[in-house]
């Protein structure tokens, strides 16, 4: 089973669990006005409760690493890196192309996982510089 995580889109989080044949076993999409990326850990719990995979059944993770929302991208990539490390799962980080659907991203990610099944750390890709400096007066 492969876990797909996309927190890069503004106010939206998408998580999907697919089996080795590409069949969707579980899916959670949340859209809201504020901070949907803050709910990623709870959504992972819901997805695991929905699909009930054995830990050994999870063979990798696909993460949309950007471009997109700064906070959503940062949180989803950080959480995926932590889960990948803890579970010793290989990770694939994808850059979303123009209006690419989750299905296309999952297919592309599964191909990448099968071609290079080693563990790696994913780096986020932001669509602009972060605005975290002290304001000037």
């Amino acid at each position: 089973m492969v876990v797909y995580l996309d927190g890069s889109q503004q106010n939206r989080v998408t998580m999907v669990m697919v089996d080795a044949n590409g069949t969707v076993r579980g899916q959670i999409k949340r859209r809201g006005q504020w901070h949907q990326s803050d709910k990623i850990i709870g959504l992972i719990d819901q997805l695991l409760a929905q699909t009930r995979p054995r830990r050994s059944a999870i063979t990798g993770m696909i993460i949309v690493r950007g471009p997109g929302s700064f906070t959503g991208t940062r949180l989803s990539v950080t959480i995926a890196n932590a889960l990948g490390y803890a579970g010793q799962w290989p990770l694939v980080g994808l850059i979303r192309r123009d209006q690419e659907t989750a299905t296309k991203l999952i297919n592309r990610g599964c191909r990448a996982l099968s071609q290079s099944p080693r563990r790696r750390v994913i780096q986020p890709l932001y669509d602009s510089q972060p605005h975290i400096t002290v304001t000037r007066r």
Side-chain angles (χ1 to χ4, degrees):
M1 296 248 233
V2 175
V3 179
Y4 167 83
L5 171 59
D6 182 1
S8 68
Q9 295 182 316
Q10 190 74 30
N11 300 324
R12 187 182 338 177
V13 175
T14 303
M15 298 180 65
V16 180
M17 179 96 59
V18 296
D19 64 17
N21 299 321
T23 304
V24 173
R25 295 295 178 191
Q27 177 173 292
I28 295 179
K29 293 182 180 184
R30 290 290 183 268
R31 174 179 252 158
Q33 197 168 9
W34 300 100
H35 306 292
Q36 291 305 300
S37 57
D38 294 349
K39 298 173 176 78
I40 290 174
I41 297 290
L43 295 177
I44 290 170
D45 281 343
Q46 288 179 24
L47 183 66
L48 293 174
Q50 194 180 90
T51 57
R52 298 187 175 166
R54 292 186 324 274
R55 182 174 167 214
S56 62
I58 298 175
T59 57
M61 290 186 73
I62 302 166
I63 303 92
V64 177
R65 65 183 198 97
S69 159
F70 179 79
T71 302
T73 301
R74 181 185 54 173
L75 283 173
S76 60
V77 168
T78 300
I79 290 167
N81 280 323
L83 289 173
Y85 178 79
Q88 296 298 302
W89 302 321
L91 306 174
V92 169
L94 301 177
I95 296 172
R96 179 185 301 283
R97 299 177 187 150
D98 296 325
Q99 303 301 318
E100 195 169 17
T101 65
T103 302
K104 288 183 181 180
L105 285 162
I106 291 168
N107 290 337
R108 191 159 52 101
C110 286
R111 281 193 306 275
L113 275 173
S114 68
Q115 292 169 3
S116 180
R118 67 179 196 273
R119 267 204 26 79
R120 62 181 94 198
V121 174
I122 303 302
Q123 297 289 321
L125 173 70
Y126 304 117
D127 57 1
S128 64
Q129 292 294 321
H131 304 284
I132 56 174
T133 60
V134 176
T135 57
R136 297 180 193 171
R137 292 182 186 205

